[in-house]
Structures are given as C-alpha cells and as structure tokens.
Amino acid sequence: MAMKVTPWEVSGHIDYDKLIQSFGTKHISSELLKKFEKEAGELHFMLRRRIFFSHRDADWLFERYDKGEKFVLYTGRGPSGDTHIGHIVPWIFAKWLQDTFDCEMYFQLTDDEKFLHDDNLTADQTHKYAYENALDVIALGFKPGKTFLFSNFDYSKTLYRIAANVAKLTTFSTAKAVFGFENSTNIGMVFFPAMQAAPCFLPSVLKNKNVPVLIPAAIDQDPYWRITRDVADKLGYYKPAAIHSRFLPGLQGPESKMSASVPDSAIFTTDDPKAARKKIMKSFSGGAGTLEAHRKHGGNPNVDTAYQYLYNVFEESDGKIKDIHDAYKSGAMTTGEIKEMLAKKVETFLKKHQENREKARKHLDKFLLKD
Ligand code: TYM
C-alpha cells in the first residue's frame, strides 16, 4: 500500500527517510544527540533508539537555552475517543523533557477539530472526550502549576485572536497544498490549522515576551508546524521547534492502524488489564508458524507486535531489549514468551495508570486554562 501521512490519516508502509525529505525536516544527527545528552545529563531511551528521529530547529532551541532562555513544551490530542498507547508515546517523552529541563507544558485538546472532521461525532461528545483524555495526560505525572491543558471550545476567546492573526497570513492555496483540502471540505476544517498553530505563540502572548517552544509529537502533525513557521516571523514570534516520533503500529501488524472502532486494533488506557492481555495474546506475531520451525528459523522482531511495543514503550533497558531481540531472533524465545512479557508490563502499567486517572479527576481543575 502506498504511504500516506497526514494529520488525519496514516497508512501504508512508512518510509521515514522519505518523510523527512518530503516534509523538509532534519534527521536527528549524532551531533544533536550529543548536544541533547550534554544538556540533559542522559538520553531518554526514545532518543537513544531514534524513536524520535526528526526535528525542526532543535539545535536553535539549545543555542537559546545555552544563553539562558528557557523553552516551553506544546503538544496535544484530538479527542475523538479513548486514548491508546500510541498517543502516549509523545507524552511519555514530553514528561521526560518537562522533568529534565523543568519546563512548562501547554496541552491543546482539539474538540473543535474532531467535531469538524468526523461526521459521526457531536460537539458534546468531543468536548466530553477532551476532559476524559486530559485525565490520561495528568495520570502520566506532569507537574501541576507547570502544565496547562485547554479545550479549544472552552479557551477559544484567548486562542481565537491568535488564530485570526495566523489565518490572515495563510492563503487557501497554501492550506490546500499542505493539507489537501478540497472544495467539498467544510470551512471549519479550512480554518482549523490556525487554531492548532495558536498555542505555538500562546506562551509568548501570556508572558508578553518571546518564548521558545518545542513540540514533541509524531510526525503526522508536522504540516501544522510548517504553516505556523511560515507566519511566525511576520507576527514577530519565534518559529516553533519540533521533534518528531515514529508511529507505534496497531496490534494487527506493522502496517495496521489503531482505531477506536476496532477494539482489537489497539490497547486503550481505559481497557481492563485482563482484556488488554487477551488482545496482546491475539496480536500479530513475527514468529514462525510452529514451535519446531520457530526454534529452527527464529522469529522476526521487526514485525512482531509484542517486541515492537516493548522496544518503543515498555522496556526501557537497552541491555534487556537486546537480550529479548537476540533470543527471539534465534528462536530461543518463543512468541508466547515475548507476549507474556509484554502482557505483564501492560497489566502493571494499566493498573497504575487507571488509579492515577481516577485521582486526576479530582485535580483536573488545577491543570485547566479556561477563558
Ligand atoms: P491525535 O489525537 O491524533 O494524536 C495525539 C498525539 O499522538 C500522536 N500519535 C502517535 N504517536 C505514536 N504512534 C502512533 N500510532 C500515534 N498516533 C498518534 C500524534 O502525533 C499526537 O502527538 N490535531 C492533534 C491534536 C493536537 C496536537 C497539538 C498534537 C493539537 N495540538 C500539538 C501534537 C502537538 C491530534 O488530533 O492528535
């Protein structure tokens, strides 16, 4: 299947080098990683493993940082349903950035976008999901007082004015070229990119001075930063810097998608831990068909869902992941064993996360920006 990567659709075999070329971003070079390590003390496993593989202006951000100018983080979620494990990849990394660089984080919940984009969702539903998804963000341990979440519907008075400034400088022909809009696209969607651009400048507006912003997200969101960066100079703001991650695959194999309407396609943060275990046991395997063949030929970790979930999210130790890789590849470790290993980790994660989520319900107000 041909590769397609837009903010609303990711499909086919993803060629990340090609994406860097067509989007015009940069590889995270070894020099940049060294710089990161120097500033941070150590590298997060998602950097060591190049799960975050591309960036815009991260080198510039560190130059400013060296000069004593602190940066803030901006990321978000389109609340169209429950949160899945793919969504939390950039959030886990953002939490590490917040802890390491002691930065503020601005988190946008685009209930407007999901209402405008999805014929089957009402504004009430996306608005409700915004606050359910917010619990997942807080449950990951972001700092109160330094973490600000907002629903576009509820913070539109502040955001709209910034968005109008972006929109005035962005032509329909640019939006069409970047996002593929057509004559049949509703005009809400045509304006929406200005709303996703707005938080790039929000910290500067709130603090009344220019503030460098770093956006951790998967690379599907990059088109927004392209149009934002185009107008930043003219508005007198810094261009936002971005750091891009790869995509965690769905449970049904390397090119499969996670979808809220297909429960077995993903692990959701609200899944019962036992149900999540069952999904893992049924997930796509890179093992040979029979135990005998597996022992003889070994498995393929590159396509194995359980291995990929361990590598990308649940096994931080480089030593352990290498042992798992080698044992699975040689056939010494079976598909059942690798799935069991993931299932245990996911069950433990979900139990803790769901407790934190319920606690977060009581503290939600401390994290919210509203007009
Ligand atoms: P949404 O809800 O589609 O995705 C939320 C975040 O998850 C990332 N993501 C993934 N990362 C790894 N593997 C996957 N399979 C996977 N699927 C999704 C997305 O890149 C995103 O970072 N329009 C946005 C909401 C938004 C936003 C932002 C996102 C508003 N402002 C700023 C990032 C940064 C959206 O619908 O995200």
Side-chain angles (χ1 to χ4, degrees):
M1 211 204 303
M3 165 170 88
K4 186 159 185 199
V5 177
T6 76
W8 306 288
E9 189 186 341
V10 177
S11 57
H13 171 74
I14 314 288
D15 180 335
Y16 289 101
D17 287 333
K18 220 167 163 184
L19 274 184
I20 285 188
Q21 249 182 25
S22 62
F23 283 8
T25 67
K26 287 198 175 135
H27 274 286
I28 296 185
S29 65
S30 322
E31 293 78 62
L32 181 60
L33 275 191
K34 272 193 204 120
K35 183 90 188 132
F36 230 121
E37 191 167 11
K38 189 174 145 258
E39 305 285 3
E42 56 164 357
L43 288 178
H44 190 264
F45 76 92
M46 290 184 184
L47 283 171
R48 294 198 303 268
R49 296 181 194 166
R50 308 284 172 113
I51 294 163
F52 277 83
F53 69 104
S54 152
H55 76 104
R56 289 184 186 272
D57 270 353
D59 31 16
W60 167 86
L61 193 88
F62 285 133
E63 273 167 34
R64 317 266 357 155
Y65 187 74
D66 280 342
K67 290 188 181 127
E69 213 171 342
K70 289 193 82 161
F71 59 89
V72 307
L73 304 171
Y74 162 42
T75 193
R77 158 84 178 127
S80 54
D82 290 325
T83 299
H84 62 53
I85 300 297
H87 298 132
I88 68 171
V89 167
W91 307 348
I92 291 172
F93 185 61
K95 156 124 173 68
W96 175 78
L97 288 169
Q98 180 175 70
D99 291 345
T100 305
F101 294 97
D102 190 32
C103 33
E104 290 183 347
M105 181 178 77
Y106 292 79
F107 194 100
Q108 182 177 46
L109 296 148
T110 54
D111 35 15
D112 53 346
E113 173 193 18
K114 292 298 157 180
F115 164 62
L116 291 164
H117 181 256
D118 194 325
D119 289 342
N120 299 315
L121 287 169
T122 64
D124 281 347
Q125 284 170 318
T126 59
H127 185 247
K128 193 161 163 266
Y129 274 130
Y131 289 103
E132 281 299 314
N133 294 169
L135 300 177
D136 289 303
V137 178
I138 298 168
L140 291 174
F142 287 97
K143 292 180 187 155
K146 286 202 168 246
T147 306
F148 310 103
L149 287 83
F150 46 93
S151 122
N152 280 0
F153 281 142
D154 292 339
Y155 198 44
S156 50
K157 190 173 156 198
T158 302
L159 293 175
Y160 184 70
R161 187 182 275 253
I162 308 173
N165 274 282
V166 173
K168 192 171 179 177
L169 296 173
T170 309
T171 63
F172 179 55
S173 88
T174 299
K176 215 161 112 182
V178 173
F179 297 99
F181 294 145
E182 291 168 4
N183 280 352
S184 58
T185 306
N186 73 59
I187 58 172
M189 284 303 289
V190 176
F191 177 75
F192 173 75
M195 287 298 279
Q196 184 150 332
C200 298
F201 307 134
L202 176 69
S204 300
V205 169
L206 294 179
K207 291 174 200 296
N208 201 19
K209 64 169 188 189
N210 246 334
V211 180
V213 170
L214 174 64
I215 309 166
I219 196 155
D220 60 328
Q221 300 296 311
D222 187 72
Y224 290 110
W225 323 137
R226 233 177 294 158
I227 61 143
T228 313
R229 287 166 56 86
D230 276 354
V231 303
D233 268 354
K234 287 187 207 132
L235 293 175
Y237 299 121
Y238 291 144
K239 289 181 168 52
I243 182 158
H244 309 107
S245 79
R246 295 166 189 270
F247 303 106
L248 187 71
L251 293 176
Q252 276 137 18
E255 286 179 30
S256 72
K257 257 182 64 151
M258 298 193 222
S259 159
S261 53
V262 187
D264 278 352
S265 67
I267 296 162
F268 295 90
T269 59
T270 44
D271 278 349
D272 174 78
K274 290 226 160 53
R277 160 178 285 272
K278 280 201 189 127
K279 290 183 186 184
I280 292 168
M281 292 305 165
K282 283 194 282 186
S283 69
F284 184 86
S285 157
T290 63
L291 182 60
E292 209 184 2
H294 185 78
R295 292 283 187 223
K296 195 167 164 203
H297 304 293
N300 180 356
N302 293 335
V303 299
D304 188 87
T305 312
Y307 178 78
Q308 288 302 320
Y309 275 53
L310 287 168
Y311 183 86
N312 283 281
V313 187
F314 292 103
E315 182 48 76
E316 291 184 29
S317 154
D318 288 349
K320 283 191 191 151
I321 201 72
K322 184 172 185 310
D323 289 347
I324 296 168
H325 177 275
D326 294 351
Y328 188 61
K329 204 165 177 206
S330 74
M333 181 181 279
T334 63
T335 293
E337 284 165 335
I338 198 164
K339 284 183 173 168
E340 178 59 34
M341 209 177 262
L342 176 67
K344 275 211 183 86
K345 290 208 179 247
V346 169
E347 279 178 311
T348 309
F349 167 78
L350 287 178
K351 276 185 199 139
K352 182 91 197 113
H353 186 80
Q354 288 166 10
E355 272 171 37
N356 288 347
R357 240 181 143 260
E358 287 317 304
K359 281 190 209 146
R361 232 176 255 284
K362 296 191 199 93
H363 304 292
L364 185 56
D365 271 351
K366 285 191 209 149
F367 290 87
L368 295 181
L369 293 180
K370 287 188 177 175
D371 284 314

